[in-house]
Amino acid sequence: VENAKPGEYIHLWGALPCTGGSPWQHVNRKYESARHKIDAHLTTFLKLIRNFILVAREVVKRGGDVSFEWPTGCSLWKTGVVQKMLDEFSMNQVHFHGCAAGLRSSAGAPIKKPWTIATTSSALFEKLALFQCPGRDAHPFHAPCAGSETKKTELYTDLTADTVHAALKEESLSYNAVKAMAAIPDIVGEYHEAQGEIERMAKPSGHRPRLGPEGLWCAMVTKTLAPNDPLARSPPALKAVDKELSNLRSLPAWDEANPREASDVAKEEPEAHFARIFPIIGIKHFEDLLNQVFKGRIVLSGDRIKTASGDWAVFQELGTVPSTMAACRIITAAHALVKDSMLLQSDCLMAYTQAEMTGPPTYIRLPKPWWPQGWANKFRDPVVKLLRALYGHPRAGDIWGDKLEQELVRLEFQRVEGWPSVYVLKQKGGPMNIVFVVYVDDLVMVGDKNIVEVIKKLRSEIAMDEPADLKKYLGCVHEIFRKKVDGETITNIVFNMQNYIESAVAQYREVATLQLVKAASPYAPRLADEEEGEWATPGALAPHAASLIMKLMYAARIACPQITTIVSRMSSRITRWTKNDDRRLHRVYCFLDSHSALTLKGCLSTQDLNDFALVAWPDANYCGDVEDTKSTSGFLLELQGSDGRCFPLSWGSKKQGGTARSTQEAEVISLDSCVATEVIPAQILLQETLGRKVDARVMEDNSACITAVEKGYSPQLRYLRRQHKVSLGHLKEIFTEAHVDEGDGTISLHKAKTDDHKGDVFTKELEVHKYLRALEMMNVTDGRPE
C-alpha cells in the first residue's frame, strides 16, 4: 500500500481461515480436545483480522476498495470485530450461490454452496449478486457440500474468478484515483473532514456510489434503496431526486443566495450548528407492484451535527408523539354510528419544510454536484443557512408539530387528553364533533358536513392534498362499504393488509430452507420430550429473526390480531434464537401463506348510536408459558351494537412484569392494565368525538377476580400494591362508585362465560378448533361483506 503511486487503484481482498467458525464446531465443542483446537483457531483468527483491518484502513485512505469473503454459514460473521469492520468501512454483503457460479461435484452435479462477500465496491457487488440459484427448473438436484467435495469448494470457480477480475477492472478504469488522492488533506479538522466527505459523495449521475448501511425511512410500506442498488441510479430515481431538490430550492429551504465560508461563520456565530444534507431514494407502496412510486427525499444528517467548535451538538428530549392506529379505528367507528358523517384523509405536502427553522442557527453543506456555478472557484468550504425544518434534523418533527398545532388551535381545536396528536373541535348542537388524528404529515379527519369548511380554512395556511375518502393509512387499506336498509345506514369496514402479508411471506421464502405448507393455525405443536434438545441448538434463521418478526409485529398491531399472541412471544426470542424457534416461525409463515386473505372486519349501523357500548375482554393465562413462570395478559376492546354487530378498536398480548401466585392474581393484573390503558382512554376519545356519554362494560371470566374487585380488598392479594403496583381499592372505585364527571359514562364489571370470552386468544396458543372459533368471534374471516 505504501508503494502505491498517485492515480493507482488499490483493492484489498481478504479470505482468512474460518475453521473456528464452521457450523460443525458447536457439535465438536462437546469434546475437550476439540475445544482447545477451536480456541487456537479463534486466537489465530483474531490476530489475522486485526492486521487485515489495519491494512484496510490504509487502502480506504488512498481511495481504494476492500472485500472480504467467507462461506455464508460461518459464525465468525457475527463476531464483534467483524461487525465493527463492516460498519467502519461501510461494507455491503452480497450473498450468492456456488451452483450459479459454476460449482460442480466430481459427478458434474451443481453444488449450492452459499458464499458471502462483504465489499465497498459497487461493481463487484452488482456482478456477484447475479449468481443466484436459478431454481428447480434449471437445477432439479443439488449435490451436497460434504465429504470429499467439501475441500474442493474452498477454491473459487473459474467463473467466479473471472467475474471478480472483470469487476475490479471496471472499478479501476472508472475511478478517478487522482482526485481521490488529492482530497486527502495534510491536516484533518472538522471542516477538512466535511470537505473530504463531500468529495467522496456519489454524484446523482455518477458510476461509483459509495456503499453504506441501508437507511431507515418510512419503514413498513416504503423500501429504501441501498446506494449500490442499480434502481437507485435509474432514470425514475434520479428524476425523483431532481424534483425534490427543485422543490426545496423553490421554497427556499436554505439560503443558497448567500453562501458563506464555514470558517467565517464559526468565528462570527459561535452558537451555530453545522450539518450536511444528502439524498435518499425509496419506492413507496413497495409491497404493491401496481402502485409503486419512486420517492426522492433530501435529508439532513442528524447524527452528525456539530457546533462551531467541532463538538457534537446536544438536543433536548423530543416532544411530539405520533397518534396511534387505535385512534384512527375509534373515529372510524364513530363515523359508522353517525348518519351523513364524513371520514376523510389528506397528506400535508413536504410537511417539515412548511415550518420555519427555530433554535440555534444551522448551516448546511451541499453535496458538490449540487453547487451553483461559480462556487468552486470562490469557496473552499461553503455553507448556507437552513431556513426550513428539514427531514433528518432531530428537532424537525417537533418544529413541524408545533406549526400544525398552532394552526389547529387558531381554528379553536383542543388536544384530547391522553391521546397524542389527536385534536377535537367541539360543535354545539351538531351530531358529532370534528376530530383530527395526526400521524406526522398524514391526517385522518371525521365530522359532519361542517368539516369541509374547517379543512378549507386549514389549507389556507397548511399545504395539503385534496381531502379524499379514507383508503390506505399506515400500510392498512380501509375498504368501507355503506348501504341503507329500512332507513338506517349500515357500515362494514374491512381492514385489509393482504398485500403486506404476502410481501412478508415472500421475504421469508428468500431465506427459508423449508417449503411452506398448509397450516390451520399459527401455533406449532409442542415438542415431545425426546426432541427438547432443539431448545439448545442455534437456529438457522437467527440472522434474519429480527427482520422477520418485526415485519409481522407491525401487521399484528395494525390489523392482524390473529397472530398477535405468537408474534408477541417470539419477539422475546430474537436474542436467543434456537432450532425450535425456526420451527415455530416456519409454522407462522405457513399459516399466513395459507390464509393471506384473512382480514379483520367491523360493522355498525346508525341505529346503534343510541344503543351501543364500549366492551372490553381482558384475560390472563396463569403461568402458561414453558419458558418462565410469568403469566400472559391479553385483551380485546370493541364497540358492540345491536343484532350482533361489533367493531374492533384495539387488542394486545403481553407478558406480565412479575410472577403471579394464582389465577386470581393474574386476572386482576390483566384487568387493571386493560382498564387503565385501553378502556378509559378509548371512552374519553369516543365521548369527545360523539359529544355524549359512552358507557363501558368489562367482561371478566374469573369469579374470584370479580369478587376481589367488588370488595376492594382480598386477604390473598394484599401484597399487590408492592408486587404489581395495583390497588384493588382503585379498581372498586372505577366500577362501583359514582365519582365521574357528569359528561362521563359508567364503567361496569360483568361475568362472562369462559368459552365465549374473546380475550382468550390473546393469552395462549389455542388448539385448532378453539382458534377457529376465536377468529369467528373477532370477525377475522375471508371474503368481503355482502
Side-chain angles (χ1 to χ4, degrees):
V1 176
E2 294 178 353
N3 296 328
K5 299 177 182 179
E8 286 185 343
Y9 172 72
I10 310 172
H11 193 109
L12 176 64
W13 184 274
L16 304 182
C18 61
T19 306
S22 168
W24 288 101
Q25 300 300 10
H26 72 278
V27 177
N28 296 333
R29 278 190 172 276
K30 295 178 180 179
Y31 308 100
E32 184 177 357
S33 59
R35 286 198 297 271
H36 291 308
K37 292 182 180 180
I38 294 171
D39 292 340
H41 285 305
L42 294 177
T43 301
T44 302
F45 154 70
L46 289 174
K47 292 179 180 178
L48 293 174
I49 191 67
R50 287 165 181 160
N51 288 330
F52 178 85
I53 292 172
L54 293 176
V55 178
R57 287 174 181 153
E58 293 301 316
V59 170
V60 172
K61 277 185 181 179
R62 287 159 173 75
D65 281 306
V66 178
S67 296
F68 194 87
E69 175 269 325
W70 265 339
T72 302
C74 178
S75 63
L76 298 180
W77 282 114
K78 303 175 184 178
T79 58
V81 64
V82 174
Q83 289 297 313
K84 289 180 180 178
M85 177 186 72
L86 300 182
D87 184 62
E88 177 180 349
F89 302 128
S90 294
M91 303 173 77
N92 276 16
Q93 291 178 287
V94 55
H95 309 287
F96 62 99
H97 300 131
C99 61
L103 185 61
R104 297 291 185 272
S105 67
S106 301
I111 299 178
K112 190 180 178 181
K113 177 180 179 177
W115 262 307
T116 294
I117 292 181
T119 181
T120 62
S121 167
S122 59
L124 185 62
F125 185 100
E126 292 170 6
K127 290 184 181 297
L128 292 178
L130 300 176
F131 290 152
Q132 302 297 323
C133 178
R136 293 186 175 181
D137 292 338
H139 290 171
F141 170 77
H142 288 99
C145 182
S148 61
E149 303 291 349
T150 305
K151 189 66 177 178
K152 300 176 184 177
T153 63
E154 294 179 0
L155 303 177
Y156 305 136
T157 65
D158 291 343
L159 180 57
T160 302
D162 292 342
T163 301
V164 171
H165 283 125
L168 300 189
K169 181 179 180 181
E170 177 183 325
E171 205 67 88
S172 63
L173 291 176
S174 60
Y175 181 49
N176 190 338
V178 175
K179 289 185 179 179
M181 293 294 293
I184 303 176
D186 295 329
I187 302 175
V188 178
E190 161 63 13
Y191 307 110
H192 299 87
E193 174 189 314
Q195 180 67 20
E197 289 190 14
I198 290 173
E199 290 289 346
R200 294 191 295 273
M201 185 170 286
K203 297 182 180 181
S205 57
H207 67 280
R208 190 177 188 270
R210 302 299 299 179
L211 299 183
E214 234 178 277
L216 178 65
W217 167 48
C218 239
M220 317 302 179
V221 293
T222 297
K223 176 181 175 62
T224 301
L225 300 180
N228 62 284
D229 195 322
L231 288 175
R233 301 185 298 282
S234 63
L238 298 179
K239 184 178 180 181
V241 172
D242 289 340
K243 179 181 178 181
E244 175 80 354
L245 182 60
S246 298
N247 290 339
L248 292 177
R249 279 174 163 159
S250 65
L251 284 174
W254 52 77
D255 189 7
E256 200 168 299
N258 296 291
R260 299 172 63 186
E261 197 68 56
S263 57
D264 294 338
V265 175
K267 293 177 183 178
E268 298 168 11
E269 301 183 51
E271 75 282 8
H273 288 175
F274 293 86
R276 300 140 207 179
I277 62 173
F278 60 93
I280 58 176
I281 303 168
I283 303 179
K284 194 172 184 179
H285 309 309
F286 182 75
E287 80 285 2
D288 188 350
L289 294 177
L290 297 178
N291 295 305
Q292 289 182 354
V293 178
F294 277 84
K295 301 287 287 187
R297 179 160 291 174
I298 293 172
V299 301
L300 183 142
S301 185
D303 61 334
R304 297 185 63 83
I305 301 177
K306 292 189 176 182
T307 64
S309 62
D311 297 325
W312 294 110
V314 178
F315 297 90
Q316 294 181 350
E317 185 177 353
L318 307 184
T320 300
V321 180
S323 62
T324 65
M325 188 65 183
C328 178
R329 282 192 289 265
I330 288 173
I331 68 169
T332 303
H335 163 67
L337 290 170
V338 179
K339 185 177 181 181
D340 298 327
S341 64
M342 302 179 71
L343 181 65
L344 302 173
Q345 181 180 26
S346 178
D347 281 347
C348 299
L349 304 176
M350 300 180 68
Y352 286 5
T353 54
Q354 292 192 46
E356 295 182 0
M357 192 65 191
T358 61
T362 301
Y363 290 83
I364 58 174
R365 294 178 171 92
L366 305 181
K368 197 166 185 177
W370 297 348
W371 285 13
Q373 190 174 5
W375 274 25
N377 298 326
K378 186 177 180 181
F379 295 99
R380 180 171 173 274
D381 184 15
V383 294
V384 293
K385 189 173 185 179
L386 187 63
L387 304 177
R388 300 274 178 167
L390 199 63
Y391 290 92
H393 192 284
R395 291 201 65 252
D398 284 352
I399 295 171
W400 157 247
D402 293 342
K403 162 76 173 177
L404 180 59
E405 182 173 299
Q406 179 182 348
E407 297 302 329
L408 291 173
V409 170
R410 180 180 61 84
L411 297 175
E412 299 184 350
F413 277 85
Q414 302 173 12
R415 280 186 177 185
V416 178
E417 184 179 357
W419 289 92
S421 300
V422 178
Y423 302 87
V424 60
L425 176 62
K426 296 186 178 181
Q427 300 189 104
K428 295 181 179 180
M432 67 187 309
N433 294 322
I434 295 174
V435 178
F436 280 26
V437 175
V438 180
Y439 190 90
V440 188
D441 58 354
D442 204 344
L443 275 61
V444 178
M445 304 156 286
V446 70
D448 60 9
K449 60 182 180 180
N450 295 327
I451 195 174
V452 175
E453 185 62 27
V454 173
I455 295 175
K456 182 178 178 181
K457 291 179 180 179
L458 181 63
R459 294 183 71 191
S460 66
E461 298 295 334
I462 299 292
M464 298 167 55
D465 280 333
E466 187 70 30
D469 293 337
L470 178 63
K471 188 66 175 177
K472 190 172 186 179
Y473 180 66
L474 299 184
C476 177
V477 178
H478 293 68
E479 300 174 2
I480 303 177
F481 306 89
R482 305 197 85 177
K483 62 180 181 180
K484 292 185 178 181
V485 179
D486 297 332
E488 64 176 315
T489 301
I490 299 176
T491 301
N492 285 279
I493 298 183
V494 178
F495 301 94
N496 188 352
M497 294 194 73
Q498 183 172 354
N499 286 339
Y500 183 91
I501 291 297
E502 289 176 351
S503 71
V505 173
Q507 177 182 336
Y508 177 76
R509 289 183 191 275
E510 293 177 0
V511 299
T513 56
L514 298 177
Q515 184 177 358
L516 296 176
V517 296
K518 289 186 177 180
S521 80
Y523 308 125
R526 289 283 180 89
L527 290 173
D529 292 341
E530 62 271 14
E531 298 177 308
E532 289 188 355
E534 291 191 7
W535 283 98
T537 306
L541 294 178
H544 314 284
S547 175
L548 296 173
I549 291 295
M550 292 304 107
K551 183 94 171 178
L552 298 186
M553 181 171 286
Y554 182 76
R557 294 181 64 179
I558 296 299
C560 297
Q562 64 269 26
I563 58 173
T564 297
T565 302
I566 186 64
V567 171
S568 175
R569 290 191 172 184
M570 298 208 69
S571 65
S572 66
R573 302 289 309 168
I574 291 176
T575 59
R576 43 189 176 141
W577 199 264
T578 66
K579 189 176 179 181
N580 183 55
D581 297 311
D582 282 349
R583 182 182 68 91
R584 296 174 72 197
L585 185 62
H586 183 71
R587 176 59 179 252
V588 176
Y589 275 98
C590 285
F591 172 77
L592 292 175
D593 185 51
S594 307
H595 302 84
S596 62
L598 277 180
T599 49
L600 178 67
K601 301 172 182 64
C603 178
L604 287 172
S605 167
T606 53
Q607 291 293 103
D608 297 327
L609 181 61
N610 297 316
D611 185 25
F612 78 92
L614 180 65
V615 181
W617 302 84
D619 195 28
N621 182 26
Y622 172 61
C623 197
D625 196 336
V626 297
E627 297 181 37
D628 55 42
T629 60
K630 295 179 181 178
S631 302
T632 300
S633 294
F635 74 92
L636 173 69
L637 183 65
E638 63 183 2
L639 279 187
Q640 286 188 358
S642 55
D643 296 333
R645 289 187 288 263
C646 61
F647 196 102
L649 300 179
S650 62
W651 52 84
S653 176
K654 184 178 181 182
K655 192 71 67 72
Q656 293 183 0
T659 298
R661 299 176 68 243
S662 63
T663 299
Q664 179 192 25
E665 178 183 336
E667 293 283 353
V668 169
I669 304 309
S670 177
L671 172 65
D672 176 77
S673 176
C674 179
V675 171
T677 63
E678 302 296 333
V679 177
I680 295 177
Q683 185 183 43
I684 291 172
L685 182 52
L686 276 169
Q687 291 176 160
E688 291 285 2
T689 304
L690 298 173
R692 55 179 293 171
K693 294 181 180 180
V694 173
D695 292 332
R697 298 197 297 266
V698 179
M699 313 302 293
E700 174 59 56
D701 66 347
N702 184 270
S703 299
C705 171
I706 294 175
T707 300
V709 171
E710 289 178 343
K711 291 183 176 180
Y713 175 76
S714 172
Q716 292 79 18
L717 302 178
R718 56 191 178 212
Y719 55 88
L720 280 185
R721 293 194 62 178
R722 176 171 178 175
Q723 184 75 6
H724 296 282
K725 306 300 185 291
V726 171
S727 170
L728 287 173
H730 171 67
L731 287 173
K732 178 185 178 182
E733 292 175 2
I734 290 176
F735 289 117
T736 63
E737 297 185 11
H739 66 286
V740 296
D741 296 335
E742 291 183 0
D744 289 330
T746 61
I747 303 177
S748 53
L749 184 61
H750 301 265
K751 178 70 170 67
K753 294 181 180 179
T754 299
D755 291 341
D756 297 329
H757 202 282
K758 296 185 180 183
D760 195 37
V761 70
F762 298 104
T763 64
K764 59 178 70 72
E765 300 178 20
L766 297 176
E767 297 174 359
V768 172
H769 69 283
K770 292 183 178 180
Y771 179 73
L772 296 178
R773 171 161 166 71
L775 294 186
E776 182 181 351
M777 290 192 294
M778 287 191 297
N779 205 11
V780 176
T781 60
D782 291 332
R784 295 292 181 269
E786 297 181 359

